[in-house]
Amino acid sequence: MSNSSYPVVIVGGGPAGTAAAAQLGKFGIKSEIIEEASKIGGVIYRGPLRNTLSLPHLDDNLKRAMSALQTRYESQHANIKLKLDTRVLGPEANSKLLLNKDDALDIIAYQELILATGCHERSIPFGGWELPGVMLMGGVQLQIKSGLVKPGSRMALVGTGPLLPLVACQLHKSGVEVVGVYEASQFSKLAKEAVALLNKPKLTLSGLSMMGYLKKQNIPFHYGWGVVKAKGKQKLNQLIVAPYNEQWQADTHKSKTIDVDSIGVGYGFVARSQLAMLLGVEHSYSNVSGNVPELDKWQHSSINNVYVAGDSSGLLGADAAICEGQIAAIRIAQNRGKLTAEQATQLASKIIKKLDRIKRFRYGFDRFSTRQVGLMDLAEVDTIVCRCEQTTRGQIDIAIAQGVKDITSLKMRTRIGMGDCQGKTCSSYAIDRLHQAGYTENVGVIKPRFPLDPIPFAMLEEHI
């Protein structure tokens, strides 16, 4: 049995991490949340980082969810310690983590560790994507929801999935002129997923309500269309879009040029699994979620005292993240003798049933939004894929043509993934290129390096 005097350390204060901490608190188990932002809630529920009288750009459902997360935390406040503005740099020996807090290094020990590190965006390079004004969808949301800043004045959205109508509504309510939304998949493909979407009827109705709002505001929503190229000299001023076929190959003969000052691009996310990888957790590669940890039904990883919950274990959204955080907490409570095995199973069963419904709903959207090979053609020969090392698509293609069959060899040949971001921006595209070339076995992933974030030499002075 574990030493019950030790707090459980949770990395990430989003829906999964906060739900886990609150659930642990119900059993009298103390926890410590390490969160890199200045507020809990994660990107989705964090809300503004400064005070505001009203939030007209956020819908009522989101406001209720943000309030519910805060209530969940406050109910167990006495059992939860928060370390805000704190980054985890990586693991130390003997179940410890190295932290960066206020430009000073610190170490925290844990008995059990819950990783709730979320996800980051999957980049799809295309001509002009490095221009100022071209933003990924999560970045657009951060500016609106947390920064209370309009990302642009005249915007278009391109990509796939349920974020498109949501962000379009948020932008319009923020005073942005949304000139068009371009969904890569055909509507007929979405219609085939009607049964899956009925697993979450409230969310489905919410989505229909958003589409109704866009129609009422005369914001065009185009199915089967997507990005071709962004244009501008010093900054973005034009976007070229075109109809996509079922493989998302653009028909450039029917392309349209739109005057914009900003665009939001959203072709999916990947699990943020770098810390779990550094810890040695076993992973497998998913075409939907990237490199994800191998877990049992209790969110328990291949390492005895490490659990993973939320989007860092697979992209299922905030509701699923809450369930997964609670399930991990129940298992820890059982291991600490707060619950019998029978009690833990009974308590978790209702949550697991809810999680299964969410999965069926989400898998419907995954099938609708599955990336197609046409996206690989958007990058031109001189398009930069790895921004850190200025590696172009042409250099990647040459390396593959010369016989490179795995991501490690590609990294050594082109320096892709060797910059400060450690491949977060470029690795998914590089792996997709290898798969497209016919190499699907033993491709590997770009392995994270310690420290996960750069450390200024000044921080090391007192430790030398």
Side-chain angles (χ1 to χ4, degrees), residues 157 159-162 164-165 180-191 197 207-208 210-212 214 219-226 242-245 248 365 368-369:
L157 302 180
T160 187
L164 284 174
V181 184
Y182 299 87
E183 162 63 62
S185 283
Q186 305 284 343
F187 178 77
S188 59
K189 195 173 180 181
L190 179 62
L197 300 185
L208 291 173
M210 292 176 199
M211 295 301 292
L214 295 179
I219 298 172
F221 196 104
H222 304 275
Y223 286 96
W225 280 69
Y244 279 9
N245 63 17
W248 293 6
F365 264 114
F368 168 70
S369 300

Side-chain angles (χ1 to χ4, degrees), residues 257-451:
T257 300
I258 309 166
D259 293 330
V260 292
D261 61 13
S262 301
I263 61 172
V265 184
Y267 287 100
F269 297 80
V270 291
R272 192 179 176 190
S273 53
Q274 288 80 10
L275 178 55
M277 292 174 67
L278 275 182
L279 285 161
V281 170
E282 292 183 7
H283 285 69
S284 57
Y285 191 79
S286 159
N287 286 330
V288 174
S289 303
N291 207 37
V292 293
E294 297 181 1
L295 307 172
D296 65 14
K297 68 176 184 178
W298 296 100
Q299 306 301 125
H300 188 213
S301 77
S302 58
I303 297 179
N304 184 48
N305 59 344
V306 177
Y307 299 76
V308 186
D311 282 346
S312 52
S313 69
L315 305 178
L316 294 173
D319 289 344
I322 291 170
C323 294
E324 292 177 351
Q326 292 171 333
I327 291 167
I330 290 169
R331 185 62 163 183
I332 291 172
Q334 179 192 338
N335 290 341
R336 289 196 174 202
K338 302 291 185 178
L339 294 170
T340 66
E342 183 180 354
Q343 289 172 328
T345 299
Q346 184 177 6
L347 187 58
S349 63
K350 294 181 181 179
I351 302 173
I352 291 173
K353 287 180 181 178
K354 180 180 179 181
L355 180 59
D356 287 341
R357 288 197 302 273
I358 295 171
K359 287 180 178 179
R360 290 192 292 270
F361 171 84
R362 182 63 192 230
Y363 292 161
F365 264 114
D366 288 345
R367 289 188 291 270
F368 168 70
S369 300
T370 299
R371 294 184 326 285
Q372 303 298 322
V373 295
L375 289 182
M376 295 291 99
D377 299 331
L378 294 177
E380 300 166 353
V381 172
D382 60 350
T383 299
I384 292 171
V385 174
C386 176
R387 299 189 184 194
C388 297
E389 298 295 327
Q390 299 292 293
T391 305
T392 65
R393 173 186 170 164
Q395 291 170 311
I396 293 172
D397 289 349
I398 289 171
I400 293 175
Q402 291 175 343
V404 166
K405 300 179 181 179
D406 63 87
I407 195 69
T408 301
S409 300
L410 187 63
K411 178 180 176 182
M412 289 167 42
R413 188 72 65 87
T414 66
R415 294 189 59 83
I416 192 167
M418 294 184 72
D420 284 348
C421 89
Q422 300 197 25
K424 294 184 185 72
T425 301
C426 59
S427 63
S428 294
Y429 178 83
I431 290 171
D432 285 345
R433 290 290 295 119
L434 286 164
H435 288 169
Q436 187 183 22
Y439 305 120
T440 56
E441 299 293 330
N442 303 315
V443 168
V445 294
I446 292 181
K447 296 179 181 178
R449 307 183 299 274
F450 180 92

